[in-house]
Amino acid sequence: MKRILVTDGMDQGAVAALKEAGFEVVEQFYAPEELGKALQEFDGVVVRSATKVRKNHLDEALSTGRLKLVVRGGVGVDNIDVAYAEEHGIAVRNTPNASSNSVAELALAHMFSCCRFISVAGQTMREGKWEKKAYGKGIELRGKTLGIVGYGRIGACLADMAQALGMKVLAYRRHPQPELETETFHFTTLDEILEKADFVSLHTPSVGKPLIDAQAIAKMKKGAVLINTSRGANVDEAALLEALESGHLRAAGLDVWAEEPTKNEALYRHERVSCTPHIGAATAEAQARVGAEVVSVIKDFFA
């Protein structure tokens, strides 16, 4: 019987489905210093973002040669040393389809929040204040231009939602697809997005350094809004804070952070920041889809 370790939780329907298919499933989180030894006793492991599978963990697992599969329940695999794992015969898989709609909806929610001060205005009410005049100068999404940096599954979902709201969409990807362009949707360069977009939403993997740094922010329209539901490392948080303080940027919507949990109090407490603690895929529907995709990956791999 193949043993599967689930470290960061998984939809219980998916756990039941794996057990029904003949797998032994152990749901247990391990601290980093304990993970490698634990992996010696499993054929596969399913992780989310909390567990990081690094070279030292893989080296310990390789001592028994049992571990053959690491599955990331989500899109990004930057918390796994993929190349090292695959070099040593351990396959790495993810679930790229399951959470696209949920992340896109959260990006849109942050856009609304930045337009209408929803986050900060709600907080002031909970403090017993009624600051109608202070937050009475919102803006609308209709008629604005959204720039999507990274036009994959999530970016495509967000583009559809934005166009339904009457927005124009500019998208950037390495390999444009001109056949998809319409009157309200066009592929373009990153520089043109920065220069023309009223809202810039990031949907790329981590590129190893900030994609949006001080230089990129300087190119953005005055009064633009930055949305990041991709990876915290894609944004230079110090440069973003400076742009918010100076008024160059109207607001930012952030679900991901350079360090998680974030300690950047100046940023997450800023009145023009709509913030969430990395919950892009945290919907009941997405978790069910993630679980179903994980089950499919594991069953196919060990068939």
Side-chain angles (χ1 to χ4, degrees), residues 129-144:
K129 302 174 184 177
W130 186 262
E131 300 191 355
K132 181 175 180 177
K133 289 185 179 180
Y135 303 117
K137 294 182 179 179
I139 59 174
E140 297 180 359
L141 292 180
R142 180 174 292 276
K144 302 298 190 300

Side-chain angles (χ1 to χ4, degrees), residues 133-289:
K133 289 185 179 180
Y135 303 117
K137 294 182 179 179
I139 59 174
E140 297 180 359
L141 292 180
R142 180 174 292 276
K144 302 298 190 300
T145 297
L146 168 63
I148 296 177
V149 181
Y151 188 79
R153 295 174 179 86
I154 298 170
C157 284
L158 181 59
D160 288 344
M161 295 173 189
Q163 289 174 92
L165 290 168
M167 301 185 78
K168 297 176 182 178
V169 177
L170 299 175
Y172 168 75
R173 66 177 299 176
R174 290 183 180 178
H175 304 291
Q177 297 172 280
E179 68 275 11
L180 298 180
E181 294 188 350
T182 66
E183 185 177 346
T184 57
F185 175 80
H186 298 280
F187 286 102
T188 188
T189 64
L190 176 57
D191 279 347
E192 186 174 4
I193 283 177
L194 296 176
E195 292 165 6
K196 294 184 176 180
D198 302 294
F199 295 80
V200 175
S201 190
L202 306 182
H203 300 283
T204 69
S206 176
V207 295
K209 62 179 181 179
L211 181 65
I212 303 299
D213 55 13
Q215 185 177 6
I217 290 172
K219 295 178 181 178
M220 293 175 68
K221 289 178 63 174
K222 181 174 175 56
V225 174
L226 178 65
I227 305 294
N228 188 15
T229 56
S230 60
R231 284 294 182 264
N234 284 338
V235 174
D236 182 330
E237 292 184 349
L240 173 59
L241 183 60
E242 183 177 340
L244 293 168
E245 291 287 348
S246 70
H248 180 67
L249 293 185
R250 172 188 174 85
L254 305 174
D255 182 51
V256 290
W257 308 81
E259 179 184 6
E260 296 184 359
T262 181
K263 297 181 178 66
N264 195 339
E265 187 172 352
L267 190 58
Y268 69 72
R269 287 189 179 276
H270 198 282
E271 67 172 3
R272 290 187 176 270
V273 171
S274 173
C275 54
T276 46
H278 202 155
I279 59 170
T283 65
E285 295 87 348
Q287 293 311 302
R289 290 191 297 265

Side-chain angles (χ1 to χ4, degrees), residues 28 34 51 66 72 81 87 96 98 119 133-134 147 175 195 213 219 234 258 279 287 289 296 299:
Q28 174 70 50
E34 301 172 339
T51 296
R66 183 167 183 174
R72 165 70 162 92
D81 284 345
E87 283 173 11
S119 180
K133 289 185 179 180
H175 304 291
E195 292 165 6
D213 55 13
K219 295 178 181 178
N234 284 338
I279 59 170
Q287 293 311 302
R289 290 191 297 265
S296 178
K299 290 170 67 174

Side-chain angles (χ1 to χ4, degrees), residues 99-113:
S99 59
S100 299
N101 189 74
S102 297
V103 177
E105 284 190 1
L106 183 64
L108 184 62
H110 276 298
M111 289 165 62
F112 276 117
S113 181

